[in-house]
Amino acid sequence: MSIDTSKLDNGVRVRFPPSPTGDPHVGLIRSALFNYAFAKHYGGKLVLRIEDTDAARNTEESYQAILQTLRWMGLEWDEGPEVGGEHGPYRQSERGEIYQDMAARLRESGFAYPCYCTAEELEAARELARQEKRNPGYEGTCRNLTPEQIAAYEAEGRTHVLRFRLPDRQIAWNDLVRGEIAFEAENVPDYPLLRADGSPLYALTNPVDDALMGITHVLRGEDLLPSTPRQIPLHEALVELGVSKQVPEFGHLPFVMGEGNKKLSKRDPQASFSYYPRTGYLPEGVLNYLALLGWSLGNDEEIFGKQELVAGFDGTRINSSPARFDLKKCEAINAVHLRRLETEDLAKRILPFLDREGLLLGGEDGHLADEGEWRTLLAATPLVQERMTVLSEAVPMLGFLFTGDGTDRRHAFQVNEADAEKVLTADAWPALAAATAALSALGTEESPWTVQAIDDALRAALIEGLGLKPKNAFTPVRVAVTGRRVSPPLFESLELLGRDRALARLNAATTRARAAASTAS
RNA sequence: GGCCCCUUCGUCUAGCGGCCUAGGACACCGCCCUUUCAAGGCGGCGGCGCGGGUUCGAAUCCCGUAGGGGCUACCA
């Protein structure tokens, strides 16, 4: 099954209309993702439109964050800010004249009328209705004012909003996600399009822009569902006025929820989208996980990329029930994508995280100052690839390889104190001393400093020589050399670290263990 | 209060009248592998909100009911 787009002159046109207030929310980005996938599936266009008519709440940072996030996710828009298009401008704050013109036409043609009720009067009416358990919507007081009444109000100095006149009939549509939905006329009151000061409201700008921009399908959050029966008649009016060709189809996406039964709160750190790039999630992983919130491929395959999403996303199998955001699963899916990356690709992505923590010498324009650091990173990447879920985890795992001697910005090598306390004890002294001796012998022509030689030497010295269990034998060496009880594989780590640094660290650890031994005895 | 939406394992989901003694994934718990941690392999735990219908047969259709959520602005 699939959606019939054969009657669309210009193909599928969908839009993503964020309001630039605050950090982008994961639910918002999922909405962008679904719209993108829907558009691309049908070979259509995605329009990015900024709904910034509320000057008090909009910020430039939020606007920039939205563009940046969409690009990070690889959700390129076909029309919108910075890319242009024939229906611009794409920021509503720049479309004031259009809204005034539309409002005037709606009023002239009788689709809208001036309402002189004051906020106090309306509030009182609402309150009364609530008490009498009636529907608290606008009661149509000013629906049929005569020119004389209007003149009288004007003479009084009253101001008016422009109100849209709803038809007196049931309003129904076939929701892309939920099927038939119907609202009775008495539950869809007339609503304001312009404020008393003449400025346009969302109720006007959103449908007008959808009409003007030729939007064919509106996929938006479930929270907007109750506003759809208001918008459909407005769209019909705009069609009648020749502004647009058809009323768009609507589909209402389920919520993305957080803990408990509430929408993912802006207070949850992982609700802000910026959390993901910052923590080292991959765009591939986040895209994959977000797509699973309210949608699935329909088979048992949960790991997929953008191409597969687009290929499968025909808009017919979007779930109608809310989805809880599960960070654990998001991590797990991210980890799968991370393990699938080519070594060099992964290394390049790890680089900024090491740099950010001051583990690299630091170059200009994101280039490394030292080619050796890149070779080390390239060699170390396979060791940590299947041990990471997000890129930032590479920092503690690889830190022992990227240390300075105090003459540059890099941190000096440091053993984790808690781990040293537990492991570099009197008991560990013999193992450390034996390991140091065994490794000292390596690094020559006949016994090179290689993984295999290190492996052989340490096993001979510690397992066979001292009769230790592997775990007891290698853990002290691991802490001595990597600074932590948890590290990449030991022999590979030693090889990468190099003989000099490895022996220096072993000597230091041996000294420490010997001191512990003499204290103990 | 009114209107509207939603309801399959803890979570995300498959399921669209018989293939379901309900499948997969994450999480969790065992075991195996193992130089740590992971990864990987094997196994386990665990669900159709409830009540009526319709039908030879219902997770799937219908009607109730309960619970959850949204909206109810001269915000978007």
Side-chain angles (χ1 to χ4, degrees), chain A residues 209-268:
Chain A
D209 284 346
D210 285 347
L212 251 16
M213 294 178 182
I215 299 305
T216 59
H217 299 267
V218 172
L219 291 179
R220 60 182 3 171
E222 185 186 351
D223 49 334
L224 272 329
L225 195 151
S227 77
T228 301
R230 303 169 158 210
Q231 295 186 344
I232 286 175
L234 175 51
H235 270 111
E236 288 167 347
L238 293 171
V239 169
E240 205 165 311
L241 291 177
V243 173
S244 57
K245 290 203 188 115
Q246 81 281 313
V247 179
E249 300 285 315
F250 291 88
H252 291 90
L253 309 175
F255 286 119
V256 175
M257 311 222 291
E259 288 305 309
N261 275 329
K262 36 190 198 320
K263 286 175 73 178
L264 195 55
S265 162
K266 295 191 170 74
R267 299 205 175 11
D268 297 318

Side-chain angles (χ1 to χ4, degrees), chain A residues 80-225:
Chain A
E82 297 188 5
V83 307
E86 54 182 312
H87 302 283
Y90 292 94
R91 297 182 74 161
Q92 291 190 329
S93 55
E94 297 167 9
R95 296 172 64 82
E97 285 174 30
I98 294 169
Y99 305 131
Q100 292 308 322
D101 176 50
M102 286 299 155
R105 290 172 66 179
L106 286 164
R107 179 170 175 176
E108 281 157 22
S109 51
F111 285 114
Y113 60 90
C115 168
Y116 289 87
C117 298
T118 64
E120 295 73 41
E121 288 166 349
L122 293 173
E123 182 49 45
R126 261 197 296 275
E127 193 44 46
L128 186 65
R130 248 190 273 267
Q131 275 172 20
E132 294 177 357
K133 302 188 178 183
R134 300 186 340 263
N135 197 310
Y138 179 73
E139 287 161 0
T141 317
C142 299
R143 258 194 154 197
N144 299 303
L145 295 180
T146 62
E148 292 72 31
Q149 287 171 304
I150 290 177
Y153 277 136
E154 292 287 343
E156 268 182 55
R158 283 208 186 207
T159 57
H160 70 270
V161 301
L162 184 67
R163 210 174 265 279
F164 186 72
R165 188 192 308 275
L166 268 296
D168 189 26
R169 59 170 169 80
Q170 186 197 61
I171 296 158
W173 74 96
N174 189 8
D175 196 273
L176 260 27
V177 176
R178 289 150 213 274
E180 278 301 322
I181 297 179
F183 284 70
E184 298 305 324
E186 65 264 31
N187 296 321
V188 191
D190 294 354
Y191 60 93
L193 301 173
L194 294 181
R195 295 187 181 89
D197 68 3
S199 61
L201 286 157
Y202 162 81
L204 175 70
T205 62
N206 181 278
V208 159
D209 284 346
D210 285 347
L212 251 16
M213 294 178 182
I215 299 305
T216 59
H217 299 267
V218 172
L219 291 179
R220 60 182 3 171
E222 185 186 351
D223 49 334
L224 272 329
L225 195 151

Side-chain angles (χ1 to χ4, degrees), chain A residues 356-368:
Chain A
R356 195 174 72 186
E357 296 301 320
L359 300 188
L360 303 177
L361 285 168
E364 286 175 21
D365 302 332
H367 290 290
L368 284 168

Side-chain angles (χ1 to χ4, degrees), chain A residues 22-26 264-278:
Chain A
D23 269 354
H25 184 272
V26 295
L264 195 55
S265 162
K266 295 191 170 74
R267 299 205 175 11
D268 297 318
Q270 72 257 35
S272 281
F273 197 87
S274 61
Y275 171 82
Y276 302 91
R278 186 175 7 104

Side-chain angles (χ1 to χ4, degrees), chain A residues 13 26 56 118 178 181 226 239 297 334 337 341 490 496 506:
Chain A
R13 291 178 58 81
V26 295
T118 64
R178 289 150 213 274
I181 297 179
V239 169
L297 229 28
N334 194 70
H337 285 276
L341 296 178
L490 181 58
L496 273 176
L506 274 167

Side-chain angles (χ1 to χ4, degrees), chain A residues 307-488:
Chain A
Q307 296 315 314
E308 291 144 297
L309 167 65
V310 167
F313 200 93
D314 63 10
T316 63
R317 40 180 307 108
I318 302 171
N319 281 130
S320 53
S321 53
R324 239 181 258 350
F325 189 93
D326 182 355
L327 191 62
K328 281 268 179 49
K329 181 147 184 177
C330 183
E331 283 173 358
I333 285 181
N334 194 70
V336 173
H337 285 276
L338 198 147
R339 277 175 221 120
R340 291 185 176 186
L341 296 178
E342 299 290 331
T343 299
E344 185 167 345
D345 185 5
L346 178 56
K348 278 182 183 156
R349 302 200 205 200
I350 290 172
L351 201 52
F353 288 85
L354 295 178
D355 190 44
R356 195 174 72 186
E357 296 301 320
L359 300 188
L360 303 177
L361 285 168
E364 286 175 21
D365 302 332
H367 290 290
L368 284 168
D370 181 21
E371 183 62 25
E373 287 185 328
W374 172 244
R375 283 198 300 273
T376 301
L377 176 56
L378 216 44
T381 296
L383 305 184
V384 296
Q385 183 156 20
E386 66 186 24
R387 296 176 160 73
M388 295 194 283
T389 56
V390 294
L391 297 170
S392 58
E393 287 170 354
V395 173
M397 282 195 268
L398 293 179
F400 76 98
L401 287 170
F402 299 93
T403 53
D405 54 10
T407 64
D408 54 57
R409 70 190 285 263
R410 298 174 301 179
H411 303 299
F413 175 70
Q414 221 175 349
V415 177
N416 176 284
E417 198 46 45
D419 286 352
E421 201 93 8
K422 277 212 170 74
V423 177
L424 300 183
T425 60
D427 291 344
W429 176 29
L432 287 167
T436 308
L439 293 178
S440 299
L442 300 183
T444 63
E445 193 76 21
E446 54 276 22
S447 310
W449 186 261
T450 61
V451 170
Q452 192 54 55
I454 291 166
D455 189 335
D456 292 344
L458 286 180
R459 280 184 200 282
L462 305 179
I463 312 295
E464 290 153 33
L466 297 179
L468 293 170
K469 284 187 196 161
K471 182 174 179 169
N472 297 330
F474 299 131
T475 301
V477 179
R478 184 185 306 283
V479 172
V481 164
T482 70
R484 312 194 327 154
R485 278 193 292 175
V486 173
S487 82

